[in-house]
Amino acid sequence: MRQAPSYGMLMLISCGVAFGCYFATNMRLPVVPLYARSLGINTAQIGFINSAFFLMAGFLSLPFGFVSDRWGHKLLVSLGLMVLTGASFLLYFSNTFAQLMWAYIFIGIGVAAFSPTMMSFVADISPVTHLGRSYGWYTTAIYSGMSLGPAAGGFLAQTSGFLQVFLISGALVFLNFWIVLFFLPRTRSVLEPNSEKPQIATSVRKLFQNRPLMGCWLVTLGGCFGLGMFITFIPLHAQNQGLNVSQIGLVFFAQGLANAISRIPLGYLSDKVTDRKILVVIGIIGFAVAMAGFGVARTAGYFMMFAIALGVSMGLAFTSVGALIAETADSESRGLAMGGYNTCIYFGMMLNAVLMGTLIQTIGFKYAFYLTAVVNLFFMAFFYLLMKDFSPIRNEPVC
């Protein structure tokens, strides 16, 4: 009988797949808003384009997380990558507001199939005592891709034009599909074949009665409201201050790199501390300070500085949030819990793209960033109240 891959090998495959997917798909981040502006699309419409992606990713992450608990991981990941490949090529042929909306809808569907499935897979293969470091390594791979992807996209757009970015992005996602097909092990459902499989309504009701899990979801919603401000409107705000597309790509690179390299040590720290929620609170406070800083940034140096602060703050907060979710949900509903987590990620960014795109035209970028910082602190307070009495049980690892 073929020996099952070790924990280390499974983590290596998971991190490699995550890096490849997020590098390719995030090449578009600094490019699409500027490409849309070049087509005559206004700021509010650009917000709606991004909101189409966030809406689909958020709406489908929860049911796709449920499906991954029943059908296994490889199928959902493969389907997600195929949809992302097609959506990237669709961007190449898009030159109207409606066409860009459709492309982003399909990107949202692909990400919803990929992201919660891989996160629940990492939780399933990790010992309880290693959850923090597992998510530290895994999210480092994600944010390494998210930092290098926009930098590569910005450089390619500057040297070769916007459309070449979309072609190369699609080709790289398709390559990642074949890596999954050949190297990600075939996985069965998390549930045993003969075990009782509760209906999704029952499972969701049980999760919504889990106060600590609700706290994790809410702080994720608030934090990603802020992340949506960065992803959607930093390219436009920075361009208004005189930065070119290559410099804007470097701002994304700085944020992603700081986020990535901080997550491994912060993941180990998360496993060592007795109360992970304190790390989340500190991280969200830093997040809010960085958001306010973007409001007053006027030069590339200041944008880079606050991008680095944002990245480290996200690394501190969200590495611990991922581990907390894995601790608060049982293994039979972990995919659903991670699906809810991803729903909060994308709904948070969607709400920002929809609300701030219109609001910026009235109050300007500066006060929109200030308001986003306040929203982050508001959700952090709810998180602390809901998590106040939670005490996870951590057993020693079995040798």
Side-chain angles (χ1 to χ4, degrees), residues 3 8 14 117 185 225 274 350 359:
Q3 185 177 5
S14 300
T117 306
F225 185 88
T274 56
M350 179 202 70
L359 196 59

Side-chain angles (χ1 to χ4, degrees), residues 40-179:
I41 297 171
N42 65 37
T43 301
Q45 289 175 313
I46 291 170
F48 280 112
I49 289 169
N50 265 16
S51 72
F53 159 68
F54 298 140
L55 176 64
M56 294 308 298
F59 182 74
L60 293 176
S61 286
L62 193 65
F64 279 168
F66 182 81
V67 170
S68 75
D69 283 336
R70 271 69 189 157
W71 292 1
H73 306 293
K74 188 168 185 174
L75 176 62
L76 265 294
V77 170
S78 300
L79 289 174
L81 290 171
M82 284 301 295
V83 173
L84 286 170
T85 299
S88 296
F89 290 133
L90 183 59
L91 280 174
Y92 179 82
F93 297 101
S94 299
N95 53 25
T96 68
F97 169 69
Q99 289 170 344
L100 288 172
M101 283 276 287
W102 276 109
Y104 263 48
I105 285 171
F106 284 111
I107 292 174
I109 294 170
V111 167
F114 179 87
S115 187
T117 306
M118 287 303 302
M119 288 198 72
S120 60
F121 180 67
V122 169
D124 290 341
I125 65 174
S126 301
V128 174
T129 51
H130 288 55
L131 283 170
R133 67 199 70 178
S134 292
Y135 278 110
W137 281 101
Y138 179 73
T139 55
T140 293
I142 289 176
Y143 286 100
S144 294
M146 291 180 72
S147 62
L148 293 172
F155 176 77
L156 282 171
Q158 186 76 21
T159 57
S160 303
F162 295 126
L163 296 181
Q164 298 305 313
V165 176
F166 307 142
L167 278 182
I168 294 172
S169 172
L172 291 176
V173 176
F174 190 55
L175 175 63
N176 206 50
F177 165 78
W178 289 105
I179 293 173

Side-chain angles (χ1 to χ4, degrees), residues 122-380:
V122 169
D124 290 341
I125 65 174
S126 301
V128 174
T129 51
H130 288 55
L131 283 170
R133 67 199 70 178
S134 292
Y135 278 110
W137 281 101
Y138 179 73
T139 55
T140 293
I142 289 176
Y143 286 100
S144 294
M146 291 180 72
S147 62
L148 293 172
F155 176 77
L156 282 171
Q158 186 76 21
T159 57
S160 303
F162 295 126
L163 296 181
Q164 298 305 313
V165 176
F166 307 142
L167 278 182
I168 294 172
S169 172
L172 291 176
V173 176
F174 190 55
L175 175 63
N176 206 50
F177 165 78
W178 289 105
I179 293 173
V180 166
L181 198 63
F182 285 111
F183 295 105
L184 190 71
R186 184 182 299 275
T187 56
R188 59 178 174 78
S189 168
V190 174
L191 298 179
E192 294 297 332
N194 297 324
S195 65
E196 182 181 356
K197 298 184 180 183
Q199 297 298 312
I200 188 169
T202 303
S203 299
V204 171
R205 191 182 310 114
K206 181 180 177 182
L207 290 181
F208 273 92
Q209 293 170 351
N210 185 334
R211 286 170 57 87
L213 179 61
M214 291 301 100
C216 292
W217 283 4
L218 283 174
V219 79
T220 302
L221 182 71
C224 290
F225 185 88
L227 184 58
M229 189 71 186
F230 178 80
I231 289 173
T232 305
F233 298 114
I234 278 292
L236 306 179
H237 177 42
Q239 189 182 56
N240 288 348
Q241 304 308 317
L243 278 68
N244 62 38
V245 64
S246 182
Q247 290 173 313
I248 293 168
L250 288 175
V251 171
F252 276 85
F253 173 75
Q255 185 273 335
L257 181 65
N259 199 333
I261 64 176
S262 68
R263 287 191 175 233
I264 294 173
L266 293 175
Y268 279 88
L269 174 64
S270 178
D271 285 334
K272 297 296 183 183
V273 300
T274 56
D275 193 352
R276 296 188 208 266
K277 70 174 178 286
I278 299 302
L279 300 182
V280 178
V281 169
I282 295 171
I284 295 299
I285 291 172
F287 195 108
V289 170
M291 279 288 113
F294 284 126
V296 298
R298 295 293 179 269
T299 66
Y302 277 105
F303 276 102
M304 295 277 284
M305 180 180 71
F306 289 117
I308 291 169
L310 180 67
V312 174
S313 299
M314 286 183 63
L316 182 60
F318 288 103
T319 299
S320 292
V321 168
L324 283 169
I325 290 174
E327 288 178 332
T328 59
D330 56 42
S331 60
E332 289 80 6
S333 58
R334 192 170 283 150
L336 196 58
M338 290 300 178
Y341 169 70
N342 281 270
T343 293
C344 291
I345 288 175
Y346 296 114
F347 276 179
M349 291 189 283
M350 179 202 70
L351 288 171
N352 186 282
V354 171
L355 297 175
M356 291 302 179
T358 302
L359 196 59
I360 284 168
Q361 296 187 126
T362 302
I363 67 174
F365 284 104
K366 177 179 179 180
Y367 290 103
F369 277 105
Y370 290 168
L371 179 59
T372 301
V374 172
V375 169
N376 273 265
L377 296 175
F378 177 78
F379 279 95
M380 180 202 70

